[in-house]
């Protein structure tokens, strides 16, 4: 990617109008998954791509006694997160990498980040580097094969979560550009994590806060079968 394209992406994510938080239900489910994975001993948990800190504010109280640090390369995101998180560091997954030592982290929260990355391979390599052996990765990302996306594709409509431009919405439901560059199905995500040196422990689903109210009961029911859910939640361990 050229420096000009990189600058455009950075400018996009520094725009205060661009959302940096996802739904609270996804955050609660991910936090519960983290709490189950961590034992009673104090652990270092890093929220990579912490956004405005709303997800960490939900996850923070659940694993009691652990240290939670937020990392983001967006100064605007860190400014917003400062009202919710005590420990914040500016860093990024590519170029110079995260400001963390090898095998120094017990768990990584990686919520709604993967779909924004130009180079997800390098990102997972960096997360694996900082995680201790058998360290936990709690990843979430929108599901390309969500139940409504399957119907939309059959009708010839662009799937929800996918974007063809950073300037506007074209050919899909919704009104907000959020900068998604990649989307995954449950199978593709599991295969990708395995190939990147992780063992997938559990895959679960979470609802999407943007689903119309009348369809939310159906969206929550779809979470029982993660491959149909709006949001994919994965607990993986570093091999």
């Amino acid at each position: 990617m050229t420096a000009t394209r990189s600058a455009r992406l950075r400018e996009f994510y520094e725009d205060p109008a661009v959302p940096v938080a996802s739904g609270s239900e996804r955050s609660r489910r991910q936090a519960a998954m983290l709490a189950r994975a961590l034992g009673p001993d104090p652990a270092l948990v890093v929220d990579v791509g912490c956004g405005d800190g709303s997800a960490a504010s939900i996850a923070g109280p659940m694993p009691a006694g652990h240290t939670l640090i937020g990392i983001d390369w967006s100064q605007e995101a860190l400014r917003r997160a400062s009202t919710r998180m005590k420990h914040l560091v500016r860093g990024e997954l590519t170029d110079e990498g995260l400001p963390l030592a090898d095998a120094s982290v017990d768990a990584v929260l990686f919520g709604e980040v993967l779909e924004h990355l130009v180079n997800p391979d390098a990102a997972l390599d960096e997360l694996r580097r900082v995680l201790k052996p058998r360290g936990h990765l709690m990843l979430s990302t929108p599901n390309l094969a969500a139940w409504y996306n399957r119907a939309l594709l059959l009708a010839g409509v662009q799937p929800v979560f996918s974007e063809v431009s950073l300037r506007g919405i074209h050919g899909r439901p919704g009104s907000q550009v959020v900068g998604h560059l990649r989307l995954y199905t449950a199978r593709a995500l599991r295969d990708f994590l395995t190939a990147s040196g992780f063992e997938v422990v559990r895959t679960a689903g979470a609802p999407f806060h943007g689903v119309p109210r009348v369809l939310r009961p159906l969206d929550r029911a779809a979470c029982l079968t993660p491959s149909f859910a709006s949001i994919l939640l994965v607990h993986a361990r570093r091999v």
Side-chain angles (χ1 to χ4, degrees):
M1 184 173 61
T2 65
T4 301
R5 289 176 63 195
S6 178
R8 287 199 196 104
L9 279 175
R10 288 181 180 273
E11 182 180 352
F12 175 81
Y13 287 117
E14 291 288 357
D15 184 349
V18 173
V20 292
S22 57
S24 59
E25 180 62 25
R26 186 278 296 177
S27 299
R28 281 193 290 269
R29 294 186 183 212
Q30 192 171 38
M33 189 179 285
L34 174 65
R36 286 193 297 268
L38 292 175
D41 296 331
L44 175 60
V45 181
V46 178
D47 185 356
V48 177
C50 64
D52 67 359
S54 57
S57 68
I58 293 173
M62 300 189 76
H66 304 308
T67 301
L68 181 59
I69 298 175
I71 298 180
D72 208 296
W73 59 253
S74 167
Q75 293 283 19
E76 174 60 24
L78 291 174
R79 183 189 66 78
R80 295 190 232 177
S82 64
T83 63
R84 295 185 173 98
M85 300 186 69
K86 183 178 180 180
H87 306 291
L88 291 167
V89 179
R90 190 173 191 273
E92 54 188 293
L93 286 161
T94 55
D95 298 331
E96 296 181 2
L98 297 172
L100 298 165
D102 295 356
S104 61
V105 176
D106 296 290
V108 169
L109 280 173
F110 200 51
E112 315 298 297
V113 178
L114 194 64
E115 63 273 15
H116 297 275
L117 300 179
V118 174
N119 190 347
D121 303 273
L124 287 187
D125 287 346
E126 182 65 2
L127 295 181
R128 190 174 183 277
R129 179 188 70 80
V130 303
L131 277 168
K132 296 178 180 178
R134 308 299 293 170
H136 304 282
L137 173 63
M138 302 294 169
L139 183 152
S140 68
T141 191
N143 183 10
L144 174 61
W147 61 275
Y148 40 80
N149 279 345
R150 298 177 188 228
L152 289 172
L153 279 170
L154 284 174
V157 178
Q158 187 81 10
V160 175
F161 307 124
S162 66
E163 293 180 329
V164 299
S165 171
L166 293 179
R167 297 175 180 174
I169 299 298
H170 304 289
R172 70 158 173 84
S175 59
Q176 198 169 46
V177 178
V178 292
H180 291 174
L181 303 180
R182 299 176 183 274
L183 290 175
Y184 301 81
T185 64
R187 179 183 297 180
L189 185 58
R190 288 192 296 267
D191 289 351
F192 180 38
L193 287 167
T194 300
S196 300
F198 292 90
E199 172 194 1
V200 175
V201 178
R202 182 186 175 213
T203 303
F208 174 47
H209 65 282
V211 169
R213 186 175 299 275
V214 68
L215 296 176
R216 288 179 186 176
L218 182 58
D219 192 41
R220 296 183 71 86
C223 295
L224 298 174
T225 306
S227 61
F228 283 85
S230 286
I231 306 295
L232 297 170
L233 302 175
V234 178
H235 171 202
R237 289 196 187 102
R238 176 191 162 181
V239 176

